[in-house]
Amino acid sequence: MRPKLNFSPAQVRAGRALCDLSAAQLADMAGLEAEAVELFESGQGELSPTEHEALCRALYADGLGVVAIPAQLGGEGVRFARAIALSPMLVHLASRIAPAAATRRRGNGDW
């Protein structure tokens, strides 16, 4: 099943927070201006379909592994995708959240 990459403004904000990124950092990863990301997140600006796809792919594909959870599944939100192996960025993020999580290996169902 392909992950949902159609992030709402609130999900972009939440995904950024989950990864401890500034709007400028996420914008740089997506090839956008920081102001465009900030306006989109606040609901005051629109992104073109190409810009929106770039923003969503930056959250998901650039080693962050953030996926959107649709409202139909109990409430709109974001989470990390389950991956076979942790990328260096996820190891770094996990070590900030729970030091023990960074020392475990993925692939056998353990976090």
Side-chain angles (χ1 to χ4, degrees):
M1 183 166 89
R2 183 180 167 172
K4 182 176 180 272
L5 294 181
N6 187 20
F7 289 76
S8 71
Q11 288 171 319
V12 171
R13 270 193 319 275
R16 243 186 354 93
L18 186 63
C19 297
D20 195 25
L21 294 172
S22 69
Q25 289 170 315
L26 179 58
D28 186 54
M29 292 170 65
L32 303 173
E33 296 293 325
E35 183 179 20
V37 172
E38 291 166 356
L39 288 172
F40 177 72
E41 287 181 348
S42 70
Q44 297 176 358
E46 295 291 323
L47 297 174
S48 72
T50 302
E51 292 170 328
H52 188 258
E53 183 177 345
L55 187 63
C56 295
R57 292 208 178 276
L59 282 169
Y60 177 72
D62 285 353
L64 300 179
V66 175
V67 294
I69 302 168
Q72 301 90 324
L73 294 179
E76 187 177 80
V78 295
R79 66 174 178 81
F80 287 121
R82 186 169 179 86
I84 299 301
L86 289 175
S87 71
M89 174 61 87
L90 289 178
V91 170
H92 170 73
L93 293 172
S95 69
R96 295 181 69 200
I97 296 168
T103 61
R104 294 186 187 161
R105 290 190 176 180
R106 293 292 299 271
N108 60 1
D110 290 341
W111 166 240

